[in-house]
Amino acid sequence: MKEKIFLDSNLFIYAADKESLFYNESVGILTDSVETGFFTSDLCFLEFYQVITDGRKTPKPLSPENALLYIKKLWGTPEVDVLEADILGAFLEKEHQENVSYSNFLA
């Protein structure tokens, strides 16, 4: 049995951008990985969304609706394990416990 690999946002971006030099290879990797299963994180999906919908970063951006459909399709696939970082939640919890404000955090 093949071990699951971790796929990051770059692969999703290249596989969604038909103009990318890495499109064909990325689609192949993604297709194979969906069959065998893979890991990714919610942050990778967030980064994918930010890049693929931004016309400054992608020559032919996806609409927000199509980007969300892409994410939902992958997230809903049983063979895909999405690791949820919840970084904002962890920061807010720490802020509450230690009474540290965001402005103090940046200083």
Side-chain angles (χ1 to χ4, degrees):
M1 183 175 168
K2 194 173 182 181
E3 288 189 36
K4 288 185 177 184
I5 61 173
F6 185 91
L7 300 181
D8 79 351
S9 58
N10 290 317
L11 187 108
F12 303 137
I13 293 163
Y14 296 142
D17 180 5
K18 292 180 180 178
E19 301 295 319
S20 168
L21 296 174
F22 308 108
Y23 174 76
N24 290 330
E25 186 176 0
S26 297
V27 168
I29 292 169
L30 184 56
T31 301
D32 291 347
S33 297
V34 166
E35 291 176 11
T36 60
F38 67 88
F39 295 100
T40 193
S41 75
D42 54 356
L43 294 176
C44 290
F45 284 142
L46 178 61
E47 184 177 28
F48 164 79
Y49 182 87
Q50 290 174 331
V51 171
I52 205 69
T53 60
D54 187 340
R56 297 169 297 171
K57 298 176 182 176
T58 305
K60 293 185 179 179
L62 293 182
S63 69
E65 296 81 13
N66 284 339
L68 285 175
L69 284 173
Y70 190 97
I71 291 168
K72 287 179 182 179
K73 185 175 180 179
L74 284 173
W75 201 316
T77 302
E79 296 79 16
V80 177
D81 290 315
V82 180
L83 309 173
E84 296 183 42
D86 193 21
I87 289 175
L88 180 60
F91 172 78
L92 293 174
E93 179 65 26
K94 183 174 180 156
E95 179 180 29
H96 176 73
Q97 288 175 353
E98 298 178 9
N99 197 22
V100 175
S101 72
Y102 183 67
S103 58
N104 290 342
F105 180 74
L106 293 176

